[in-house]
Amino acid sequence: MRVLLVEDDPILGPAVRDQVAADGNGVDWATRLDDAAEFVRLAAYDLILLDLMLPDGRGLDFLRARRQAGDTTAVIILTARDQVSDRIAGLNAGADDYLVKPFDLAELSARLSAVARRYGGNPNPLMQIGGLTVDLAARSIVRDGRSVSLTSREWALFDAFIQRPTMLLSKALLEERLYTFDSQVESNTIEVYVGRLRKKLGAGVIETVRGMGYRLGAVAVAGSSRSRP
């Protein structure tokens, strides 16, 4: 996913950024609301992690403005305010989840994944995709009875296809979802990772549409289903 972190704390900010990036996501970090507004103008984000008190304003005002503008990007509020009234205000302003500081970084990862699944129309973490059994929460894949290990970047790319199973994803879109503004992206990076996924998960798991991009393979789409808990 492409994630925007809006947080001015010089200690918490890098910790959150590094945790989200370690999960395979692209993370842009803004310490002011005007910077955050510029980021969302330039890039499409899958999720925003939003502090409530920034040097140049209130996170809730930023959130309300985004919702009034029709922005449906998922938002998780990160704040030290733990009063019930504060949580209600955040949720009523359009937040999807609310995490009170201090929090465990592993919990942040779990909440981020859960919100992303809901937005992708797939709240159940268990899926059957062709011959693959996928646990989105545990980030685990079993192929023909054997566990398959993916790197964080490989998982992030595969997840982009899972969340959009019938969509054709251009190379530019995949790069935008996986990398930040300051990332150095080689011209063949996506091709390399797609090749790795095919080697690990099966040649037909991702289909190339020449000159246009990639999509989840026809066999995988036909065999995809939500597993019941």
Side-chain angles (χ1 to χ4, degrees):
M1 290 189 297
R2 184 77 176 268
V3 177
L4 175 61
L5 169 63
V6 188
E7 170 62 66
D8 68 322
D9 189 301
I11 297 176
L12 180 62
V16 171
R17 177 197 60 198
D18 293 348
Q19 175 73 16
V20 177
D23 288 336
N25 304 295
V27 188
D28 292 309
W29 179 23
T31 57
R32 298 174 57 86
L33 290 175
D34 55 0
D35 292 332
E38 182 66 7
F39 278 137
V40 298
R41 186 183 70 83
L42 295 173
Y45 290 95
D46 298 292
L47 189 142
I48 297 174
L49 298 173
L50 179 64
D51 186 20
L52 288 185
M53 300 300 297
L54 283 301
D56 57 340
R58 300 171 65 244
L60 279 187
D61 293 335
F62 174 83
L63 175 56
R64 290 192 184 100
R66 296 309 308 164
R67 293 303 191 226
Q68 289 171 4
D71 188 347
T72 60
T73 305
V75 174
I76 299 178
I77 288 177
L78 311 177
T79 182
R81 295 185 172 185
D82 61 353
Q83 297 296 315
V84 173
S85 58
D86 293 322
R87 300 185 192 188
I88 292 174
L91 295 171
N92 285 343
D96 298 276
D97 204 350
Y98 198 105
L99 199 52
V100 177
K101 304 174 185 176
F103 50 79
D104 188 276
L105 292 174
E107 181 182 2
L108 171 65
S109 291
R111 287 178 179 266
L112 191 151
S113 296
V115 169
R117 290 197 304 273
R118 291 201 298 270
Y119 263 69
N122 181 26
N124 189 339
L126 300 178
M127 298 182 67
Q128 192 72 32
I129 303 176
L132 306 174
T133 301
V134 182
D135 187 331
L136 298 174
R139 294 192 166 208
S140 66
I141 300 175
V142 175
R143 179 188 180 191
D144 299 329
R146 295 184 178 182
S147 178
V148 178
S149 177
L150 299 183
T151 67
S152 60
R153 191 67 72 186
E154 289 167 353
W155 176 268
L157 181 61
F158 186 49
D159 186 63
F161 291 105
I162 292 175
Q163 300 301 336
R164 305 162 182 83
T166 62
M167 287 182 59
L168 177 63
L169 305 180
S170 69
K171 179 180 174 180
L173 177 61
L174 292 171
E175 289 176 343
E176 181 177 300
R177 287 292 181 267
L178 298 179
Y179 295 96
T180 59
F181 288 117
D182 56 357
S183 297
Q184 295 293 327
V185 184
E186 298 293 335
S187 60
N188 67 335
T189 296
I190 297 299
E191 289 89 343
V192 169
Y193 280 108
V194 166
R196 292 179 182 177
L197 288 177
R198 286 171 173 159
K199 184 176 180 179
K200 292 182 176 182
L201 305 179
V205 70
I206 296 175
E207 176 185 341
T208 299
V209 180
R210 191 172 300 277
M212 299 182 66
Y214 304 90
R215 61 188 172 201
L216 205 59
V219 174
V221 172
S224 66
S225 65
R226 306 292 195 269
S227 298
R228 296 184 181 277

